[in-house]
Amino acid sequence: MEKPEIWLSFAPELHLFVAAARRAGRSAVRTDGVSTLGHVVESLGVPLTEAGALLVGGRQVPVSHVPADGEEVTVLAVVRPQPLPGPARFLLDVHLGTLARRLRLLGVDAAYESVDIGDAALATRSAAEQRVMLSRDRGLLHRRELWAGAYVYSHRPPEQLRDVLSRFAPPLAPWTRCTACNGTLREAAKESVHEQLQDGTERAYDAFARCTDCGQVYWRGAHHASLNAIVEESLREFGSPGPAEVLPQAVSDTA
Ligand SMILES: [Zn+2]
């Protein structure tokens, strides 16, 4: 029996994943007659985390649809903001440390593995903690265990941040989270942080916060201007702040 031939076209956002010959208009694919459309799309290089609606003859079908001969398939990009089945929490792979710190600066829950624990362990953690896996590794995003995943389109941290904020629209709560470990900050009395401060810091500042997880102490300091610029720009573009700031204009030295 002749194997079915179908016609596929991809949204421009997906062109970087597919071979050059599939970027201009529609192109033919011969399928095996039993594979799902989701499998066919993945086999052409597009992680299903990046595929939005799948249309056959203009009508939406599930990824489990088995394409028949002659079908015209359109693969759309994900809609932004993309709804999630739970709160917007993230897990970032070893290459996205700067993005992780910037998300935390904005109060977004961003777990990050600073050592490479491997794709299987990352996928397992994404599932166990219901976190969106953020990565530039397409192979990792193909893993079935992921709770949710998203390809990070740029290698530059400022664009990466805008990409994630525009895609998932997480609530922003700047200066409430530890940029070092992702823990939450709590206001701290000056006396209580005394031992962790150098003389100059203690004299110059009055507002302090401490991470409830790792104990790191935060205050307003030298890098304030650049971090504040990231916060202001993000708030301007992606919404109002959430819960009250624990430490107005606090600073970390790591973002
Ligand atoms: Zn911490």
Side-chain angles (χ1 to χ4, degrees):
M1 192 181 98
E2 187 82 6
K3 289 186 172 173
E5 185 179 57
I6 62 172
W7 294 87
L8 277 142
S9 54
F10 293 92
E13 294 91 331
L14 304 175
H15 284 178
L16 78 157
F17 300 114
V18 298
R22 298 198 179 277
R23 291 174 194 160
R26 60 176 209 164
S27 61
V29 178
R30 213 168 266 289
T31 69
D32 60 11
V34 292
S35 292
T36 64
L37 185 53
H39 179 82
V40 172
V41 168
E42 264 193 328
S43 70
L44 295 173
V46 179
L48 288 184
T49 59
E50 305 313 299
L54 305 175
L55 308 179
V56 171
R59 290 185 51 200
Q60 189 167 350
V61 297
V63 288
S64 58
H65 173 76
V66 177
D69 191 54
E71 284 186 352
E72 293 267 356
V73 178
T74 306
V75 184
L76 300 180
V78 290
V79 293
R80 291 181 184 235
Q82 178 184 349
L84 286 169
R89 288 192 296 252
F90 299 95
L91 173 62
L92 288 79
D93 78 15
V94 67
H95 302 294
L96 297 174
T98 302
L99 176 61
R101 289 191 295 275
R102 290 184 181 195
L103 286 168
R104 293 168 180 172
L105 177 69
L106 297 169
V108 177
D109 186 341
Y112 163 68
E113 298 286 354
S114 63
V115 292
D116 193 352
I117 62 173
D119 287 4
L122 283 168
T124 300
R125 187 172 178 196
S126 161
E129 300 178 11
Q130 301 197 330
R131 291 178 179 276
V132 182
M133 184 76 236
L134 298 180
S135 181
R136 286 177 49 73
D137 178 347
R138 299 167 200 193
L140 174 54
L141 295 177
H142 282 307
R143 295 192 81 97
R144 290 280 171 268
E145 314 92 290
L146 295 177
W147 180 71
Y151 183 75
V152 175
Y153 283 78
S154 174
H155 61 272
R156 295 186 57 245
E159 285 160 22
Q160 291 175 341
L161 185 63
R162 297 186 70 251
D163 183 10
V164 174
L165 297 182
S166 72
R167 180 154 175 180
F168 296 104
L172 305 183
W175 317 116
T176 60
R177 199 171 278 278
C178 177
T179 55
C181 85
N182 198 39
T184 51
L185 300 187
R186 189 168 294 161
E187 235 176 298
K190 192 170 185 172
E191 308 82 70
S192 73
V193 298
H194 169 82
E195 283 176 10
Q196 284 157 275
L197 301 177
Q198 296 179 343
D199 278 356
T201 306
E202 191 175 355
R203 277 197 301 276
Y205 303 103
D206 285 314
F208 297 91
R210 190 198 298 274
C211 174
T212 54
D213 284 1
C214 76
Q216 168 124 356
V217 174
Y218 290 82
W219 62 92
R220 183 177 172 168
H223 293 89
H224 170 255
S226 62
L227 294 187
N228 208 37
I230 293 172
V231 169
E232 292 300 320
E233 201 182 313
S234 301
L235 288 179
R236 208 165 37 239
E237 201 169 352
F238 299 103
S240 52
E245 298 174 1
V246 172
L247 179 58
Q249 299 182 328
V251 74
S252 91
D253 55 1
T254 50

